[in-house]
Amino acid sequence: SDKLVDVIASSKHVAHQFHLPMQSGSDKILKDMNRHYDTEKYMRTVEYLRQKIPDVTISSDIIVGFPGETEGDFEATLQMLRRVRFDMTYSFIYSPRKDTPAAAMDCQIPDAIKGERMNRLLDTQNAIALEKNKPMENKIIKVLCDGPSKNNENVYSGRTEGNKIVLFDGDESDVGKFINIKITRAETFALYGDKI
């Protein structure tokens, strides 16, 4: 609601990150999913968020291959990705779940088509995420240190206020603290930097 956005915008204690599941960019598919919004309402919410919180990062959930999804429906989802420009998405290939209305629907999408659409979706979103991360290079950003990276215990990991992952040379004393990091490299899924 606008009221919730206003509270976030006026509070210094709430991070400027918002997860706003879109699911699909097709109004037909949203209706089939029994969602109580359409793309126009969704975009109005996104625009209000960005108006009130200019530095907000927005993430979303996307489902690819919901029963009855046409190529046009999928293209509408890609168009919404380009229009909204999410910082990150959590994307899933639809799979039938027992005793759900969608599992009984006609027009189940073949796995090969779902896989091909997922690849196109990821290519589109990954390019957007990289474009959004690149301007952060050479900036100093406050990061909350989580601890050693899951992939390399010699590198420490933290998150920006916008929930972006930052990797840097740190030590045990950094864990649980806010650290100023100068971003030296931006990639699709993470930022890399040096402690200041």
Side-chain angles (χ1 to χ4, degrees), residues 56-123:
V56 70
T57 61
I58 301 175
S59 59
S60 188
D61 295 335
I62 309 288
I63 296 174
V64 172
F66 191 81
E69 180 187 72
T70 65
E71 181 61 23
D73 294 323
F74 177 70
E75 282 294 334
T77 297
L78 294 181
Q79 281 299 105
M80 282 293 284
L81 286 183
R82 295 181 189 109
R83 192 172 166 200
V84 175
R85 296 183 57 75
F86 296 107
D87 291 270
M88 62 198 84
T89 60
Y90 302 91
S91 306
F92 307 92
I93 292 176
Y94 169 80
S95 59
R97 293 202 181 151
K98 188 179 177 187
D99 298 326
T100 61
M105 287 178 168
D106 293 332
C107 303
Q108 298 289 325
I109 308 299
D111 289 346
I113 291 174
K114 289 191 283 192
E116 186 271 336
R117 287 179 182 169
M118 175 60 94
N119 290 337
R120 286 164 52 205
L121 181 103
L122 293 176
D123 288 347

Side-chain angles (χ1 to χ4, degrees), residues 118-135:
M118 175 60 94
N119 290 337
R120 286 164 52 205
L121 181 103
L122 293 176
D123 288 347
T124 301
Q125 177 54 39
N126 289 348
I128 292 167
L130 182 59
E131 286 173 16
K132 292 198 74 145
N133 284 346
K134 276 292 183 187

